[in-house]
Amino acid sequence: EALVEVTVQGGRHPATPGRLVETQPTVGAAFATPLVGREAELARLGAILDELAAGRGQIPVLLGEAGLGKTRLVAEQRRLASGRATWLEGNCFSYGTEIVYGPFIQILRSWIGAEAGEAELSVAAKLRARLGLLPPSVIPAAPLPLARRLSVTP
């Protein structure tokens, strides 16, 4: 959504800033070609998925320069994991380095179904509802730290 033109210091022409109206999903689009040359990485991610199915969860982290195929690798693993696991995903952005827990907050908000700008009371209610689905042994320790990460009162 376009906003009012502004003059930028050092600029010759006025600039028209925009306001972010909605976000777009980052992964999930189908790829038309098969994944080639990533057998070792897919095998490692497949082993992690097998461990998860056996009750031993892990959090894989993919790091690398832009253009190395991280998004493509994640999309392929997500396709392979379909029906075997609940897929939770977070992303790091080059401009968000001050948000240490950013990807985890993104994962948590997605898991509970919280929307951007949603009221604190609503987010807290969604958190309590989702936590109620977890095994009782996990619930006593979970609400307060998770609520703090979401900046809500449990």
Side-chain angles (χ1 to χ4, degrees), residues 3 12 17 20 22 35 49 52 60-61 65 72 78 87-89 93 96-97 104 108 115 117 140 142-143 147:
L3 300 175
R12 294 183 178 172
L20 181 64
E22 65 181 325
L35 184 62
L49 186 59
L52 176 64
V61 176
E65 296 296 322
R72 177 65 172 92
R78 184 177 195 165
W87 190 271
L88 302 173
E89 182 179 329
F93 301 102
T97 55
F104 299 104
L108 183 57
E115 301 291 330

Side-chain angles (χ1 to χ4, degrees), residues 15-73:
T16 306
R19 183 175 68 87
L20 181 64
V21 184
E22 65 181 325
T23 60
Q24 297 179 347
T26 56
V27 178
F31 288 89
T33 58
L35 184 62
V36 177
R38 293 318 251 325
E39 292 79 13
E41 291 90 345
L42 279 177
R44 179 66 187 122
L45 290 171
I48 290 171
L49 186 59
D50 292 341
E51 288 288 309
L52 176 64
R56 295 179 295 273
Q58 298 180 38
I59 301 174
V61 176
L62 300 178
L63 300 172
E65 296 296 322
L68 288 179
K70 298 178 299 296
T71 300
R72 177 65 172 92
L73 187 61

